[in-house]
Amino acid sequence: MTGEQQIKNNTLQAHVIAEPVIPDGGIAFGGPITIRIIEKGGQCRELVRIIESDGSRSDWGPITLYGEPVTTVKKQLAASGTIETAQISKKASPTGKSQEDGKVLNKNKSLFGDSYAVNHLAFNERLLHKGGYQALELIRLTNRTPLLWVRVDPHGLFDGRVALFQQDACLGEQLFHDGDASSQVEALRCLAERPHRVQGSVKVKNLYDVPVEELPVHLLADCLRGSVALHADLPHNPSVRSQAALTIAQWQNNKAPMTKNSGGWIGLNLLVQYLDERFFKDGRITSSRFCRVCLQTEVEPQEKLNNANNQTSTDSGEYQYLDMYYTERDRLSAIQNAKAVEREEDEEYRVRSSVVTAIACVRAKDGLSPPLVLDVLEKVLRVNEDVTPSTTESLEEDYLIRTKKRRKHSFSRPYRHKVDDEIEEELWFDDIRNMPYSSSFLIADALLALCYVNARPEVIEDPSTGKQTQSRENHPCLPLMILCRRWLDWDLFKESILIEREASHSSPIGCPSLIAPCAITALYSLALLRQSTTDSSVDEAVSTKDPQLSSELTALLDEAIDCNFYVNLFDTTPRRSDVTRAAAAQAVLSLCCASDRNNSGEAIGLLIGLEFILKRILEPTTSPGLKQTLASLMYDACTGKICSTQRVAIMARYNNLIDSGNRFFNGPLGSGYGSEYGASIHTLVSEQSMPAANAVNNGARRGLRFLKQAGKPSQGNLASEENLVRVAKFATDLWRTINGELGGIELSSSGDQYVTIPITTAVDGICAHDGVLRCSLLSLWQWLWPKGCIAVLRVQSWKEHEGTSRYKALGADEVMKIEDDEKEAAMVEDSLCNDLRQIISSEIDRQNWRGQMAAVRREELVSSKDLTANIQGLNYPLHIVQRDEAWKQGAWVASTASQRRGKGVDGGSTVSVTKLRLTVKGNE
């Protein structure tokens, strides 16, 4: 925006600078692109601008703004003072106690518990502004321009990512005014990364006692709570509100205090307040469905005409919700006078799921979860299978609704006896919807969210010596582990009953529960967390006064970290559901890998886990879907994602490829806007942020190195003969499975049943009929041994020892061998693929050449032009951006700004599409 002189002339202009970002090896995009500008008064303009294909910065302005400013300097300065209603006054209540004392007494009825706190004097105990202002009204006071918001490529035609820098007020208007869901999510993600260093021209620090830097999180909270979106006179849809919950956690991680016990958890308090308002009642978390009753009322024609002419609202007022009426008389009167009564199914469970995940993902700067996070998750899991009603109307209101429905059918149709069955069927469905129930989704969400917490025992400092030691109190995650085991036992019991009924009816009944896979995933994750964050000197026993309880807890901890416990879950007879068995297999792989994290000897944990999985893939009782999942788990273990992605629990919970893929690639908080690390804290598998996943990856890294280098004649990589043959046998079984030689089923000698044979007489193994599984296992082979397995070649070199007792005792006779005729056939087959290999090589070279075009073009223009002529670098190609660690974690905007600022070619920008920053040098 321009300066004060143009403001006085009532002529404002917007300056937009387009800054392309081309990474190393990337391709430059260029051509026309649309920019949409919305001003106060409803004026909307779409302009076409050009992106230079040589990677140079372009000036897309100036663009004249014709509307009136959203606010004035006088209003802004007036709002920056202290409001009288913000002062806390202790007024006497009829009982003789102050209102503040009443709040203290009601702490136990709140989900906050002992962590209950009001962040500002401007907010009451429900985190609502005492002056009655919403966040959008407050943030408008920071906008002294006519510009409401700007969008680049609103139609989604540009094949690339766009990051647009604009002030917080513009993002708030975009969130609550733009009807496009993608635009709303874009505004949410950008608000989560606020404030930037270039925050705009806001000169005030507070607005009605609310810090300006905290206004973005209040905008996100208003969207989460369901404040009316002005484009439709309705709250945002559940998908957008779910994203609002995740972005609040993202904002909180960016603005988190240094330690978990510090203050300043305003974003976390807003998330907990949502659960406290809607789902916390009588000391427990309920699982209400929020089925709302919608009434069709009589509206005068003149009123409809006035609403249409004045354009004050798109709502005709014909439909009203029953919960909008507060008194009992008004509710009953509204039901009696309504033309029709319908129940509207709500999707609030989706928002609740995101809120639970967001709460678990909140971290302090030291990587630890605040105590409030553990308390909330524990209260959610202590629901104790309580059943709750799914409606909010009283019995009298429900009876009146049923009577009105019967009367409607009797008056609308002349022959009532013909529609009696239809009426009874409709009322029967109402009874089904009103039945009390317990939500397994809520428990599954909470169990899965436990994988994202990070806690460790307190550190005690000796005042005399200053030595720091860990406390001998129980680990903070121990109560959560107990709850996980209880939910696991209960769900496994229900699954056993279901299996018995299926066997008696000879047909499937119902569907497997979501709780068991999530409970298994949470149990072993918390067990690894406890083991990784507890010193061996203090990890002796459970601290409790009851000896019997202490022995039970000790047994629980031993089972949670024991592979045999999960192996028995996988192999139990009758077979459990595929999701339960897959979760058990994931636990076995993770624990096997973690066992080598501190092992100085041969790291065979990964090998043991892979052998276990491959053997279960070859079993005839394993379904095709489970085989593919097990193959994916093997690849996750070798690539360092087995514990951080929670593949099985996420797939079982969402049962949606898009949502699950988003969690796999971007973590639980989703993708960022490109400028920070708040959302990627759970994808950075470090010892500080994710100790359990880091322990698994450390062991898997050592095991992967052992598999690749076993048998290599170099110092430090010597393996024992037993383990060398073991690696070669696993490689042999994997190769034969890929070629379709293992896993085949043939008739027994008696001819009355099918049996699994070790090696088939023909190529009819499991991979001979399952191309997807074969590709998955082949990719695993290429990852482990891209140039051949050294262990197999080493065992094959022992040919002169064939027939000896030592050779057979080691099992070397089971390793695949290659004869001279097979070598000749392989050479002939390899020569036939030379043409195809050359085509692939030339295509790879062509793509590499395309990725170097931008760098070559910059070198040509630099040699022919004087870059010092334009200090802002306009119309000159910019440097190629290197893919550093920040770029790999999704912070591509921050990476670009940092690299170009270091070279002095940033032009004052911090994002790809931004305005110019004024730089003033002092006299010093």
Side-chain angles (χ1 to χ4, degrees), residues 6-74:
Q6 290 181 331
I7 292 179
K8 294 179 180 179
N9 295 333
N10 295 327
T11 302
L12 291 172
Q13 292 179 335
H15 290 266
V16 183
I17 303 299
E19 182 177 317
V21 177
I22 305 174
D24 185 20
I27 301 174
F29 291 95
I33 193 171
T34 304
I35 176 173
R36 178 182 295 172
I37 297 178
I38 296 91
E39 301 182 43
K40 182 181 179 181
Q43 184 177 6
C44 176
R45 288 179 288 167
E46 288 192 355
L47 309 175
V48 178
R49 295 294 184 263
I50 302 298
I51 297 179
E52 299 296 336
S53 58
D54 58 358
S56 60
R57 186 182 291 122
S58 304
D59 189 354
W60 287 357
I63 302 173
T64 304
L65 304 178
Y66 300 100
E68 295 292 331
V70 176
T71 189
T72 61
V73 178
K74 184 177 180 180

Side-chain angles (χ1 to χ4, degrees), residues 548-564:
Q548 182 179 359
L549 180 61
S550 178
S551 61
E552 293 177 357
L553 294 180
T554 303
L556 183 148
L557 295 176
D558 293 340
E559 284 187 344
I561 209 70
D562 187 7
C563 288
N564 293 324

